[in-house]
């Protein structure tokens, strides 16, 4: 046997893989004659064209943003039209990170068209969003006005509901008032021990320069605070600040409660266990990352740092007519602020509620006061009452006369048992609940980026504005306004 060296065929002579099969022509080195106008790269009817027309046509008033640019210093900023287009299109597609938006200006053809082939860096995008946060939030009213002109808002049937929005904070960064008190004492003791140790070390260091150099280093004075002491003092300061905030809130709430009970002629009772009613409950918490967010139970049954986002949705095309946010978990307290904003929004878009307009809401919003408040705002309340307690009189039958002594809860329960009331309330879940699903899946807007109630509220309103603009786009776009 004689060994023979294998000689491979040159690459140019090898038959390409799959040469015996027929495929469509594919040449990665093909030279393309692209359209010189970026707008021609995007098909007609695409969302990017709608966003561009929305801004360029003046349908969205950006005067509040332009008014903030007064001084001509340094390098010129990016045109606000570019930045607004970028944010609206990004939020509409679930891209909210400034870094991802910058990356999309290179990789996404639609974003490249909206930016006119400019590429704002993520710092510029983030600064623009923070600087014009309130102006961006107020685009909600402008979007609502456009939807009203396009006849996508009827105002005959409105549905109210809330959703828990994840705050930009971890629940593991929260601490209860009881633990704050205990941790404050522990840190005080640790800091005192460390200070005593530092003083002892400094006293020994003064004995000899050599010993000082050996202990602290030749480049250090020797009187700097150790890192352990600095960290503990910073943590103690944060804990004391959060503890004082909880104490102030508890005192204010108890004072208001006693004043309200005094007006009703009632005597407030002290909490069980001898706890001072003006001090926080032991389980009251404060988060060190976002102090204004609260621990709330979410739809999956877990507890997270959240804000409570509220929305009133119109039945015609699921357009949001009210977007509100609170740091309080109970929904019942959010009905009046939502209806107050409804009045403001209707005045802003020059609209009014039709006769017989109804408000639908689940049992989380029911109270006798909320029934009265809803009626005072010109709406027919359809608020689920939930179960009746054993101590309460049962709900009356849906037929026959109503007893004169019937409570507001009994009257509402009877109303929702009638054919007309039941049919009206049955529409609630088909009006408002899909909206939260659309915002969650399409816009990925259940997670807030900004911290603090004011910033979180502004972001929620901007998210709702984008939702309404998507509704306008999917129903025909600006042509509905021109022909409506």
């Amino acid at each position: 046997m004689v060994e023979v060296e294998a000689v491979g065929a040159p690459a140019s002579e090898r038959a390409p893989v799959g040469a015996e099969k027929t495929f469509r022509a594919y040449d990665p080195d093909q030279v393309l004659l692209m359209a010189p106008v970026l707008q021609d790269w995007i098909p007609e009817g695409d969302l990017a064209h709608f966003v561009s027309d929305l801004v360029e046509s003046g349908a969205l008033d950006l005067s509040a943003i332009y008014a903030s640019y007064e001084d001509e210093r340094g390098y010129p900023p990016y045109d606000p039209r570019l930045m607004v287009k970028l944010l609206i299109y990004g939020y509409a597609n679930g891209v909210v990170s400034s870094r991802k938006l910058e990356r999309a200006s290179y990789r996404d053809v639609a974003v490249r068209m909206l930016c006119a082939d400019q590429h704002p860096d993520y710092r510029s995008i983030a600064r623009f969003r923070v600087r014009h946060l309130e102006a961006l939030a107020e685009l909600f009213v402008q979007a609502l006005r456009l939807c009203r002109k396009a006849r996508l808002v009827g105002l005959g049937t409105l549905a109210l509901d809330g959703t828990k929005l994840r705050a930009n904070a971890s629940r593991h960064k929260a601490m209860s008032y009881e633990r704050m008190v205990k941790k404050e004492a522990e840190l005080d003791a640790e800091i005192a021990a460390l200070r005593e140790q530092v003083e002892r070390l400094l006293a020994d260091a003064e004995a000899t320069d050599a010993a000082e150099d050996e202990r602290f280093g030749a480049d250090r004075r020797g009187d700097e605070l150790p890192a352990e002491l600095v960290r503990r003092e910073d943590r103690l300061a944060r804990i004391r600040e959060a503890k004082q905030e909880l104490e102030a809130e508890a005192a204010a709430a108890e004072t208001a409660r006693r004043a309200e009970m005094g007006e009703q002629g009632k005597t407030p009772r002290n909490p069980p266990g001898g706890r001072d009613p003006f001090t926080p409950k032991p389980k009251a918490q404060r988060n060190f990352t976002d102090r204004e967010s609260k621990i709330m139970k979410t739809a999956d049954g877990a507890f997270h740092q959240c804000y409570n986002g509220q929305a009133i949705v119109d039945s015609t095309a699921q357009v949001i007519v009210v977007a509100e946010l609170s740091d309080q978990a109970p929904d019942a307290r959010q009905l009046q602020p939502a209806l107050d904003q409804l009045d403001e929004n209707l005045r802003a878009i020059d609209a009014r509620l039709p006769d017989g307009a109804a408000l639908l809401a689940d049992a989380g919003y029911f109270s006798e006061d909320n029934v009265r408040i809803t009626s005072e705002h010109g709406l027919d309340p359809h608020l689920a009452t939930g179960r009746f307690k054993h101590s309460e009189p049962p709900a009356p039958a849906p037929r026959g006369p109503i007893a004169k002594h019937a409570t507001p809860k009994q009257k509402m329960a009877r109303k929702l048992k009638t054919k007309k009331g039941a049919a009206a309330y049955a529409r609630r879940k088909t009006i408002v609940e899909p909206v939260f699903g659309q915002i969650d899946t399409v816009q990925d807007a259940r997670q807030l980026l900004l911290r603090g109630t004011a910033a979180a509220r502004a972001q929620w309103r901007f998210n709702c504005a984008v939702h309404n603009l998507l509704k306008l786009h999917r129903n025909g776009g600006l042509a509905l306004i021109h022909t409506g």
Side-chain angles (χ1 to χ4, degrees):
M1 298 294 289
V2 179
E3 292 187 3
V4 179
E5 184 179 355
V7 179
S12 60
E13 297 178 6
R14 294 177 191 166
V17 177
E20 69 279 3
K21 300 183 182 292
T22 303
F23 299 98
R24 296 186 183 185
Y26 169 67
D27 183 2
D29 298 322
Q30 174 69 48
V31 178
L32 302 177
L33 296 177
M34 302 294 292
V37 181
L38 281 170
Q39 283 82 350
D40 294 341
W41 295 16
I42 310 300
E44 285 294 327
D46 190 87
L47 176 64
H49 285 302
F50 169 73
V51 172
S52 181
D53 294 342
L54 198 66
V55 175
E56 296 297 335
S57 66
L60 291 182
D61 183 11
L62 305 183
S63 58
I65 295 177
Y66 278 98
S68 66
Y69 294 95
E70 299 177 352
D71 299 334
E72 296 185 3
R73 297 182 297 178
Y75 197 73
Y78 288 98
D79 194 308
R81 293 176 299 163
L82 180 159
M83 303 299 276
V84 171
K85 290 179 186 178
L86 178 61
L87 289 174
I88 292 178
Y89 185 81
Y91 273 64
N93 287 281
V95 182
V96 298
S97 164
S98 55
R99 286 177 172 83
K100 290 182 179 180
L101 288 172
E102 178 189 358
R103 195 178 305 130
S105 70
Y106 291 96
R107 300 182 178 180
D108 190 316
V109 176
V111 175
R112 200 161 192 150
M113 182 269 285
L114 291 173
C115 295
D117 208 25
Q118 297 184 45
H119 311 283
D121 63 280
Y122 71 91
R123 293 184 184 87
S124 299
I125 298 171
R127 284 195 294 262
F128 181 90
R129 179 165 46 196
V130 172
R131 177 176 180 176
H132 304 292
L133 191 58
E134 288 301 322
L136 292 172
E138 290 311 307
L139 292 181
F140 173 78
V141 176
Q142 296 192 42
L144 179 59
R145 183 182 294 111
L146 294 176
C147 291
R148 172 68 173 173
K149 290 181 179 179
R151 300 179 182 177
L152 300 179
V153 178
L155 299 175
T157 303
L158 305 175
L160 168 64
D161 205 355
T163 181
K164 300 302 185 290
L165 304 170
R166 297 283 188 88
N168 187 5
S170 169
R171 62 180 178 180
H172 301 295
K173 296 294 183 181
M175 185 180 288
S176 67
Y177 180 77
E178 183 179 29
R179 191 169 170 224
M180 284 181 189
V181 175
K182 185 183 300 183
K183 201 65 182 177
E184 181 183 22
E186 291 177 1
L187 286 173
D188 267 333
E190 290 176 7
I191 289 173
L194 279 171
R195 285 192 179 279
E196 183 180 351
Q197 183 181 0
V198 170
E199 291 173 0
R200 195 165 54 246
L201 288 173
L202 291 177
D204 293 342
E206 292 177 356
T208 173
D209 290 341
E212 184 175 338
D213 290 344
E214 181 180 355
R215 184 174 291 111
F216 300 108
D219 297 329
R220 295 172 63 84
R221 297 190 309 272
D223 58 351
E224 296 90 350
L225 288 178
E228 298 85 359
L229 182 56
V230 173
R231 286 196 299 269
R232 282 171 171 77
E233 285 186 334
D234 288 345
R235 191 177 183 195
L236 179 60
R238 292 197 300 270
I239 289 175
R240 282 178 172 166
E241 186 176 356
K243 180 169 167 281
Q244 290 171 1
E245 290 175 358
L246 286 174
E247 290 170 348
E249 288 181 4
E254 180 63 18
T255 301
R257 185 181 77 91
R258 288 175 177 261
E260 181 179 355
M261 295 185 70
E263 293 176 357
Q264 299 173 357
K266 299 179 180 178
T267 302
R269 292 183 297 178
N270 291 329
R275 180 179 66 84
D276 184 356
F278 290 91
T279 60
K281 296 179 180 178
K283 299 299 182 182
Q285 292 187 340
R286 180 69 91 225
N287 190 279
F288 295 111
T289 305
D290 184 353
R291 294 183 180 177
E292 297 180 30
S293 65
K294 298 292 191 300
I295 291 283
M296 300 182 188
K297 189 176 182 179
T298 55
D300 59 1
F303 290 85
H304 298 278
Q305 290 292 142
C306 294
Y307 287 97
N308 190 356
Q310 298 288 314
I312 295 181
V313 180
D314 182 79
S315 63
T316 304
Q318 293 181 330
V319 171
I320 300 174
V321 297
V322 167
E324 193 52 85
L325 181 139
S326 169
D327 60 357
Q328 300 297 319
D331 285 332
R333 303 175 187 174
Q334 314 310 320
L335 184 138
Q336 182 166 359
L339 293 184
D340 289 342
Q341 189 192 127
L342 176 63
D343 292 342
E344 295 175 5
N345 293 344
L346 293 181
R347 285 194 296 269
I349 66 174
D350 195 22
R352 55 184 297 180
L353 293 171
D355 294 336
L359 178 71
L360 317 177
D362 61 26
Y365 294 90
F366 180 82
S367 71
E368 295 185 5
D369 287 338
N370 282 349
V371 172
R372 173 183 54 79
I373 291 169
T374 304
S375 300
E376 290 174 352
H377 281 78
L379 287 161
D380 183 14
H382 288 68
L383 311 181
T385 59
R387 296 181 179 180
F388 279 71
K389 298 178 181 178
H390 292 293
S391 58
E392 295 177 322
R399 296 181 181 178
I402 304 175
K404 294 182 180 180
H405 59 274
T407 65
K409 187 173 183 178
Q410 286 180 300
K411 293 178 181 178
M412 181 59 63
R414 182 184 188 277
K415 178 179 180 179
L416 296 185
K417 282 185 176 181
T418 63
K419 289 185 178 181
K420 183 178 179 181
Y425 183 77
R427 298 185 61 196
R428 183 199 68 82
K429 60 184 178 182
T430 64
I431 297 172
V432 65
E433 291 183 4
V435 169
F436 293 139
Q438 294 159 16
I439 290 177
D440 187 16
T441 56
V442 177
Q443 300 176 231
D444 193 21
R446 285 290 183 93
Q447 175 70 58
L448 298 170
L449 292 179
L450 306 177
R451 296 169 182 171
T453 305
R457 179 179 183 272
Q459 184 179 348
W460 173 238
R461 284 174 65 81
F462 183 66
N463 286 333
C464 292
V466 172
H467 168 85
N468 287 348
L469 293 176
L470 282 172
K471 289 292 182 181
L472 179 60
H473 167 63
R474 291 165 183 160
N475 283 278
L478 295 177
L480 289 175
I481 299 173
H482 299 153
T483 59

